[in-house]
Amino acid sequence: MGDGVRFQLGTVGALSLSVVSSVSIVICNKALISTLGFTFATTLTSWHLLVTFCSLHVALWMKLFEHKPFDPRAVMGFGILNGISIGLLNLSLGFNSVGFYQMTKLAIIPCTVLLETLFFRKKFSRTIQLALSILLFGVGVATVTDLQLNVLGSVLSLLAVMTTCIAQIMTNTIQKRFKISSTQLLYQSSPYQALTLFITGPFLDGLLTNLNVFSFKYTPQVLVFILLSCLISVSVNFSTFLVIGKTSPITYQVLGHLKTCLVLAFGYVLLSDPFNWRNILGILIALFGMILYSYFCSMESQQKAIESSIQVRENESDHLLAVDNGADLTDCLGPKIPVWRSNKDLQA
């Protein structure tokens, strides 16, 4: 099996794991928050990250992956930034209407495209831009209802979008720059994320819910759902880093909107959530945009592979022409390396 096939299978596996685990944890958390009344989302996320770190530490002890330390300042900054972005997203939801919060999530893709274009000189073709526009329009139709604006909520949303975009771009660039895997990055950064949210979580949750997480009545049923949520989160966090590392922040956001559509559908089927023609139309438009995005990305990848292959063949042809024209083969390969001779003293 070639490296290209392995990479494609690994990417498909990462995408599938991300979808299944994310939809599962949304359904679990919805039951935990809506049915059981545990509304402390930020504190719960800190527990997710703590369990993720402990699970990865056990995996490291079992030698399932290799620990590869790199720049500690980059790890700390990245971990804290991720924690801040999660807290800001929760605050954005708390201080805005649900419709405006959905608009905030939709803004992450255009913002990421803008940042990668400005600072990384990455180019997005018109076909990719068209597919993303159709996708965002469809998700907007399916999820955005009311748009109630306020100054504080708008500022929090802007900060949430910026920090989320930067954190996801860093997830991709750090893995490539330091040549580390998603597991190695998650293992080293998750303690900083967990600590950031563990410190700020109770305060943020108290601000948003007017309740105290430490005085909540933890029944056995609540504890079971919290444990289940934490276990699923290990897969969610791992697949998030894996998808962004193997693809790009944009592809991860596209995948996130697919999860949103699936959550809407599962909510209707399993939980009897209200569903109308706007939801159905929006989901269909979004799915069409996702199909276009996948198709255009695949076509561009194939085109790049063909261009690379042609470039390699041209280089080989130039090399052979140089040899045919009388050039010394060793000149083509590089400078000559002196050969050690054991009898040089005898010939002196």
Side-chain angles (χ1 to χ4, degrees):
M1 187 181 294
D3 292 338
V5 176
R6 287 196 188 95
F7 179 80
Q8 290 177 356
L9 290 176
T11 302
V12 171
L15 295 172
S16 302
L17 178 63
S18 180
V19 170
V20 173
S21 58
S22 295
V23 173
S24 300
I25 202 170
V26 167
I27 294 173
C28 177
N29 288 348
K30 189 166 185 177
L32 183 61
I33 293 172
S34 301
T35 306
L36 301 176
F38 187 85
T39 55
F40 311 102
T42 308
T43 304
L44 180 62
T45 305
S46 71
W47 297 345
H48 287 171
L49 289 162
L50 182 61
V51 171
T52 297
F53 172 72
C54 293
S55 302
L56 290 176
H57 194 70
V58 172
L60 179 65
W61 177 72
M62 295 174 64
K63 298 182 178 180
L64 296 178
F65 72 96
E66 180 184 356
H67 179 47
K68 186 179 179 181
F70 62 99
D71 188 353
R73 291 177 301 177
V75 177
M76 182 183 297
F78 171 72
I80 293 174
L81 180 64
N82 259 301
I84 291 173
S85 71
I86 294 171
L88 286 171
L89 282 170
N90 288 339
L91 282 174
S92 173
L93 177 59
F95 283 91
N96 289 301
S97 64
V98 175
F100 191 81
Y101 175 72
Q102 290 296 339
M103 287 296 295
T104 299
K105 292 173 66 177
L106 291 177
I108 293 175
I109 285 183
C111 183
T112 304
V113 170
L114 179 63
L115 290 177
E116 290 195 314
T117 302
L118 291 177
F119 296 102
F120 294 91
R121 299 288 186 264
K122 188 172 181 179
K123 296 182 179 179
F124 296 89
S125 65
R126 292 188 180 276
T127 52
I128 293 293
Q129 294 175 24
L130 173 64
L132 290 174
S133 300
I134 294 173
L135 163 67
L136 295 177
F137 176 73
V139 176
V141 170
T143 60
V144 177
T145 52
D146 56 325
L147 286 176
Q148 300 174 10
L149 303 179
N150 64 82
V151 176
L152 179 58
S154 300
V155 171
L156 290 172
S157 294
L158 177 62
L159 292 174
V161 169
M162 294 300 297
T163 53
T164 301
C165 292
I166 294 172
Q168 291 182 359
I169 291 173
M170 286 181 66
T171 303
N172 182 272
T173 54
I174 286 177
Q175 291 185 54
K176 289 179 168 58
R177 178 181 176 185
F178 295 102
K179 294 180 173 60
I180 58 173
S181 67
S182 55
T183 309
Q184 292 166 334
L185 177 59
L186 180 59
Y187 174 70
Q188 295 182 67
S189 64
S190 55
Y192 296 105
Q193 297 181 58
L195 183 62
T196 301
L197 294 174
F198 191 76
I199 293 172
T200 61
F203 169 74
L204 294 179
D205 290 333
L207 182 66
L208 296 173
T209 64
N210 294 320
L211 298 173
N212 189 342
V213 66
F214 300 109
S215 61
F216 184 81
K217 185 178 180 180
Y218 291 90
T219 64
Q221 191 177 11
V222 170
L223 292 175
V224 167
F225 270 90
I226 288 175
L227 179 61
L228 180 61
S229 178
C230 289
L231 292 176
I232 299 174
S233 74
V234 177
S235 177
V236 173
N237 291 324
F238 172 72
S239 62
T240 295
F241 280 58
L242 189 62
V243 168
I244 296 177
K246 282 185 171 294
T247 56
S248 69
I250 298 295
T251 299
Y252 175 72
Q253 284 299 321
V254 171
L255 188 69
H257 291 306
L258 172 61
K259 299 173 201 173
T260 301
C261 295
L262 291 176
V263 167
L264 286 174
F266 279 116
Y268 173 71
V269 174
L270 300 179
L271 305 175
S272 301
D273 288 344
F275 214 61
N276 55 41
W277 66 268
R278 280 190 57 186
N279 300 130
I280 298 173
L281 178 62
I283 289 174
L284 292 176
I285 295 173
L287 289 175
F288 178 64
M290 291 174 201
I291 293 171
L292 285 180
Y293 177 79
S294 301
Y295 173 75
F296 291 139
C297 283
S298 176
M299 293 297 294
E300 290 185 5
S301 298
Q302 292 178 10
Q303 184 63 31
K304 288 179 181 178
I306 292 172
E307 291 175 356
S308 300
S309 177
I310 292 174
Q311 184 64 36
V312 169
R313 290 175 184 173
E314 288 178 350
N315 292 338
E316 291 176 350
S317 300
D318 293 341
H319 175 73
L320 292 174
L321 286 174
V323 174
D324 290 341
N325 289 334
D328 189 354
L329 183 60
T330 55
D331 291 337
C332 297
L333 295 175
K336 295 181 181 179
I337 301 174
V339 180
W340 181 78
R341 295 164 63 181
S342 60
N343 61 345
K344 62 180 179 180
D345 293 333
L346 297 175
Q347 294 179 354

